[in-house]
Amino acid sequence: MRGIVLAVLLTLVGSQKTQQTHHQIRPHFSPDKIHRYTYGATVYNKVQGKDSAVSAFKLTANVEIFAYKSNSYILKILNPQLGDYVGFHPRDQFEHSAKKTAAFLKCASKDISFEYRDSHVGSISAPPDTSVFCVNFARGILNMISITTREEDVYEVSEDGIGGECQTRYIADKKNDGCILTKTTDLNNCTTKVEQSIGMSYIDILPNCPLKEKMVKGTAVFAITLKYESAGDLITRVDSEQIYEVSPLNEADGAGVMIAKQELILSEVKNGPAQVPHVNWQDHGNIYYDFAKDSPPQIMIKPGNLKQQIEEILQGLDRSSIKDNSIKYLQLTQLCRRLDVAILHELYKSHANNRHA
C-alpha cells in the first residue's frame, strides 16, 4: 500500500514539474480590464571615482494600460512628478522641479496607442498634436513590457528595443503560479543601432589607427515578474537597469557613467473598458527612440552670453576645489560645443597660461 501511495506522489510531482517546465509564457492584458501601474525612473550621470559629483533626476507617475481594439492598446500617463539635483550623494537630495514637471504634465493629456502582438510592441500612434518628447517617454515605458517568449528556459534572440535591434539573452525561472523572466540586452551588439553623436566635430580618427575598444559601452538588464492566468500571463512587476560607460581615453576612474533605473509595479486591475477618445491617430513608427530634429539640445547651461559664462568658469578654477571642478568641467564642455572656432581660439589664447584651465 505504501508503495502505491509513493508511486502516486511521484507521478503527481513529475506531472507538476512537466507542466511547470513546458508552460508557454504568454504575456497579455485582459480586453475588459484597466491595468494600473506605478512607474518610477531614476537617472544618474557621473564620472567614476569616489569624490565625483552626480547629476540626477527622479521621475514618478501612474500608468494605465487597457485594450483599444484587437491587438491594440492605450497607454495613459497620469500625474508625473520630477525631482533633480546636482551635487554629491547622499549629502544632496532630490528637489521637486516645477518647470521640468510641467514638460511631463503635457504628456499626461495625451493617449498613446500601441500594437501589442505576441508580447511584442509594434507600431505606435498618438494624437496629431503630441510632441516627439511625449512619444519617446511612452517608448521608455513600453520597452519594459516588450518580450520575446520561447518554450526553452534559456535562449538568445535578436530583439527590437528602444535602442535598436540588439542581441538579447533570456532566462526563465518558472514556478507553479508564475515566472520571473530575466532579460539581458547587449547594447554593443546590435544589427540596427539607434544613436546620435554630438560634439564630435573636432575629433579626427586616423584610418591607420583604429580604436581597439568602443568609446561607449552599454548593457541593459530587466527582471520581469509574471503571474499565470487562464487567459494568459499578467505582468505584475518589471525592474530594469541600464548602464552606459563613456571612456574616450580609457583612463582609470576617468569614464563617464550613465545609470538609468526603472520600475513598473502593478497596483490595481479595474473593470473596464475605459473611454477612448475619437481622434485621428498619427503614426510614430515602432519602438525605436526618435531623435527629433526640432528638439532642443540637452545641455546644463543657462541662456545668455556663452563666452562670458566660459570666462567666469575659467577664472573660478583657481579658487575651486577638485570636487567643484568636476561640475564646472561638465558645464564648460557643454558651453564649448556651442561656440564657433574663432571664439574658441580667442579663449585659448587668453587662458593658455592658466595652469588650472
Side-chain angles (χ1 to χ4, degrees):
M1 186 65 181
R2 291 180 180 179
I4 296 175
V5 173
L6 180 59
V8 172
L9 290 175
L10 291 174
T11 302
L12 290 174
V13 171
S15 176
Q16 289 179 351
K17 287 185 177 181
T18 302
Q19 182 179 6
Q20 169 184 321
T21 303
H22 291 87
H23 177 84
Q24 177 63 46
I25 299 174
R26 295 180 294 110
H28 89 303
F29 297 100
S30 299
D32 56 346
K33 302 288 184 181
I34 301 173
H35 305 81
R36 189 181 181 94
Y37 292 84
T38 58
Y39 172 77
T42 308
V43 179
Y44 300 92
N45 294 281
K46 62 179 182 177
V47 177
Q48 286 184 348
K50 296 181 180 179
D51 298 327
S52 300
V54 178
S55 171
F57 73 84
K58 184 176 184 179
L59 175 67
T60 59
N62 290 316
V63 174
E64 287 186 351
I65 298 175
F66 53 87
Y68 168 45
K69 56 184 180 180
S70 178
N71 296 320
S72 294
Y73 297 82
I74 296 293
L75 173 73
K76 292 179 71 73
I77 300 168
L78 307 173
N79 193 30
Q81 298 293 323
L82 187 140
D84 60 359
Y85 80 86
V86 176
F88 298 90
H89 184 77
R91 185 192 69 185
D92 299 292
Q93 301 296 324
F94 289 100
E95 295 184 1
H96 176 72
S97 175
K99 182 178 180 180
K100 294 178 181 178
T101 297
F104 284 92
L105 284 172
K106 294 179 182 179
C107 305
S109 61
K110 308 298 181 183
D111 294 333
I112 305 297
S113 171
F114 66 98
E115 182 184 14
Y116 197 65
R117 189 187 302 271
D118 296 328
S119 66
H120 275 283
V121 175
S123 60
I124 298 174
S125 303
D129 57 344
T130 306
S131 67
V132 175
F133 171 81
C134 292
V135 178
N136 282 332
F137 181 22
R139 284 187 172 103
I141 299 174
L142 295 175
N143 189 56
M144 303 176 72
I145 63 172
S146 189
I147 306 168
T148 300
T149 61
R150 295 285 188 274
E151 291 187 1
E152 299 85 4
D153 291 342
V154 180
Y155 52 95
E156 293 189 8
V157 295
S158 183
E159 180 181 87
D160 282 338
I162 194 170
E165 183 181 350
C166 303
Q167 194 68 22
T168 304
R169 179 180 177 85
Y170 282 88
I171 300 177
D173 183 13
K174 298 177 181 178
K175 306 294 183 182
N176 291 330
D177 58 348
C179 171
I180 297 178
L181 199 60
T182 303
K183 165 182 167 181
T184 305
T185 302
D186 184 357
L187 300 174
N188 300 313
N189 186 6
C190 303
T191 55
T192 302
K193 184 73 171 177
V194 181
E195 60 183 353
Q196 183 182 56
S197 298
I198 59 175
M200 306 292 286
S201 303
Y202 307 108
I203 293 181
D204 185 14
I205 300 176
L206 298 177
N208 296 329
C209 301
L211 294 174
K212 294 182 179 180
E213 297 290 341
K214 295 180 181 294
M215 287 194 297
V216 181
K217 301 177 182 179
T219 186
V221 179
F222 299 81
I224 306 158
T225 304
L226 302 107
K227 179 183 178 183
Y228 297 156
E229 293 186 344
S230 57
D233 303 327
L234 178 62
I235 299 175
T236 60
R237 183 183 182 109
V238 182
D239 294 279
S240 74
E241 182 170 343
Q242 182 173 333
I243 300 176
Y244 274 102
E245 181 181 274
V246 183
S247 182
L249 302 178
N250 197 26
E251 292 182 349
D253 293 337
V257 181
M258 188 281 289
I259 302 174
K261 297 182 179 181
Q262 293 176 284
E263 64 177 16
L264 190 68
I265 304 173
L266 181 67
S267 59
E268 185 182 7
V269 179
K270 302 184 294 184
N271 291 326
Q275 184 177 1
V276 179
H278 298 283
V279 298
N280 295 321
W281 298 100
Q282 180 178 342
D283 182 30
H284 283 267
N286 58 12
I287 199 172
Y288 290 178
Y289 186 90
D290 183 9
F291 291 99
K293 296 181 180 179
D294 57 347
S295 62
Q298 301 299 313
I299 52 178
M300 300 180 294
I301 61 176
K302 299 178 181 179
N305 190 319
L306 301 181
K307 181 181 177 182
Q308 181 181 350
Q309 292 184 56
I310 292 176
E311 292 275 4
E312 293 174 355
I313 291 175
L314 293 175
Q315 292 172 3
L317 290 176
D318 290 330
R319 304 182 298 272
S320 302
S321 65
I322 296 178
K323 292 182 180 181
D324 293 332
N325 283 345
S326 61
I327 301 176
K328 293 182 181 297
Y329 173 76
L330 294 174
Q331 296 173 337
L332 185 63
T333 302
Q334 300 292 346
L335 287 165
C336 288
R337 284 175 175 171
R338 306 190 68 189
L339 291 180
D340 56 38
V341 179
I343 298 179
L344 285 173
H345 278 299
E346 182 182 341
L347 287 168
Y348 176 78
K349 291 179 181 179
S350 60
H351 293 275
N353 296 325
N354 184 350
R355 63 185 182 89
H356 295 283

